[in-house]
Amino acid sequence: MIDVERLAAWLDESGLPGKGEPVEHHYISGGAQNEIYEIRRGELHCALRIPPATAPAARDEGILREWRITEALNGTDVPHTEAVAVCTDTAVLGRTFYLMEFVDGWSPMGTDGWPAPFDEDLTARRGLSYQLAEGIALLSRVDWRAKGLGDLGRPDGFHERQVDRWSRYLDRIKGRELPGFDVAAAWLRAHRPLDYVTGLMHGDYQFANVMYRHGAPARLAAIVDWEMGTVGDPKLDLAWMLRGWPEDTDAPEAATTLYVDLTGMPSRDQLVQHYAEVSGRQVDDMDYYDVLAQWKLAVVLEQGFQRAGDNEKLQAFGPLVLQLMRGAAELAETTRYGT
């Protein structure tokens, strides 16, 4: 729990609205990475994001990274939570934390199925996917240099580093063979995108990390959870978003392919084209990004599987990793891109 008295004193010193009034706080969610609280004080209504007391010290640096991106998005057309204030003085709440706008909306992860009218109106539901693609298309257009994010990542050599970085990562956690790993890795080393236009990227872009406004038509309220945000190649965000997207969204399996029901959603090609129109980027080399996204995700999930123990959720990563790696290798062997 947060120390409300210390928080109130810091809010007063920061000159935020509601000085002298009681602080109302409500725990929203949290895990090993961060906790989120709803804060109300007079006219102030925001969300407080802070690492739990047990999180490694490096999470404070991660919080600052998130804050920098959130603050940089102020004044842009990217749907986001407005940055309010940041505190690096750990004497206040024990950890670095920041305040952001409290968004009146809903998360696909916080509902049991799509809420009305998206549960029955398939035309309205399609808009959820188009808005999802549009979010990162707008993000890719942000002038990250002008926003002071020139030192956020290492954009030079971004693609050259991917295979080496994640291969070393797998070597550290490896507990079994992953068929297809070498095939996909060799293909990625031998191929590069048609072009590489550096931009701001989310790093884990999917339905789980966005919020929507209530009601139709579908309107993206905010992209959230910027732990993996960096400056790199934004088209990897698009491939990440589309991994596992069913070929036929009218087929029965569309309801169970991912963690949300994709029945009636636009096709993968339609979403790629929408991204291209909004972002202004060419998308003729998406096979490269699809291989990279599946291959990278397989390695990331393998870590969870290797430390699963009795955790059934992490155990379930085992066959998924093999499926992803096999899919990456098969795509690498069959694509005509780069031939």
Side-chain angles (χ1 to χ4, degrees):
M1 296 294 292
I2 58 177
D3 188 320
V4 178
E5 291 186 2
R6 289 184 177 178
L7 175 61
W10 177 79
L11 291 172
D12 287 344
E13 294 171 2
S14 301
L16 293 171
K19 184 174 183 178
E21 298 188 42
V23 175
E24 300 177 28
H25 68 291
H26 170 68
Y27 176 78
I28 298 176
S29 64
Q33 293 293 319
N34 292 293
E35 296 175 345
I36 304 176
Y37 296 83
E38 180 181 3
I39 304 294
R40 287 182 180 269
R41 195 190 200 202
E43 297 180 357
L44 180 66
H45 186 200
C46 58
L48 185 153
R49 190 164 169 89
I50 186 171
T54 55
R59 269 309 301 153
D60 284 39
E61 297 177 8
I63 280 287
L64 279 177
R65 183 185 190 87
E66 293 180 34
W67 165 257
R68 290 186 62 196
I69 296 173
T70 302
E71 187 180 37
L73 293 178
N74 282 0
T76 73
D77 57 2
V78 178
H80 68 286
T81 56
E82 289 284 322
V84 176
V86 64
C87 178
T88 59
D89 182 0
T90 56
V92 178
L93 295 182
R95 306 300 301 254
T96 296
F97 66 91
Y98 67 89
L99 301 179
M100 56 187 170
E101 167 199 15
F102 191 87
V103 176
D104 181 20
W106 60 274
S107 164
M109 300 306 291
T111 60
D112 183 15
W114 297 119
F118 308 107
D119 53 345
E120 297 183 358
D121 187 342
L122 295 186
T123 299
R125 184 186 298 181
R126 289 170 64 84
L128 297 173
S129 294
Y130 281 124
Q131 282 286 291
L132 187 68
E134 192 164 310
I136 44 170
L138 294 172
L139 180 65
S140 75
R141 296 180 355 190
V142 171
D143 187 342
W144 51 275
R145 293 184 181 88
K147 287 291 186 176
L149 299 178
D151 61 343
L152 186 68
R154 298 169 55 200
D156 293 341
F158 177 84
H159 289 286
E160 289 77 5
R161 290 195 306 274
Q162 293 300 302
V163 175
D164 288 342
R165 175 187 177 186
W166 293 104
S167 293
R168 290 194 299 268
Y169 184 87
L170 181 62
D171 286 341
R172 291 198 300 269
I173 64 171
K174 194 171 184 179
R176 60 175 178 167
E177 293 299 319
L178 300 183
F181 175 86
D182 292 335
V183 171
W187 186 90
L188 288 167
R189 290 185 191 280
H191 296 79
R192 289 290 182 270
L194 294 177
D195 60 7
Y196 168 33
V197 182
T198 308
L200 192 58
M201 57 182 293
H202 182 275
D204 187 20
Y205 196 71
Q206 52 182 308
F207 274 118
N209 288 328
V210 298
M211 294 184 67
Y212 290 92
R213 300 291 180 191
H214 296 292
R219 295 162 296 163
L220 198 63
I223 302 171
V224 297
D225 294 350
W226 292 95
E227 292 100 327
M228 303 295 290
T230 191
V231 175
D233 193 328
K235 282 195 292 187
L236 185 55
D237 272 344
L238 179 61
W240 200 264
M241 165 193 145
L242 290 172
R243 66 190 189 279
W245 205 270
E247 292 292 333
D248 182 3
T249 57
D250 291 323
E253 54 267 25
T256 57
T257 300
L258 293 180
Y259 52 86
V260 291
D261 182 0
L262 296 180
T263 302
M265 290 296 192
S267 69
R268 182 185 184 282
D269 288 345
Q270 288 173 320
L271 292 174
V272 169
Q273 186 57 40
H274 186 65
Y275 174 89
E277 291 170 358
V278 176
S279 68
R281 295 170 181 257
Q282 65 80 21
V283 291
D284 294 333
D285 51 3
M286 282 305 299
D287 278 358
Y288 169 86
Y289 295 92
D290 292 337
V291 174
L292 177 56
Q294 289 196 63
W295 180 84
K296 177 179 174 180
L297 180 60
V299 175
V300 171
L301 294 183
E302 180 67 7
Q303 181 192 38
F305 174 69
Q306 290 299 329
R307 58 181 176 85
D310 296 330
N311 187 315
E312 293 184 1
K313 181 179 179 180
L314 296 180
Q315 288 175 357
F317 288 169
L320 178 57
V321 166
L322 299 178
Q323 177 185 341
L324 286 166
M325 195 61 77
R326 182 169 58 251
E330 290 175 354
L331 179 57
E333 290 180 314
T334 58
T335 181
R336 295 182 58 82
Y337 168 68
T339 60

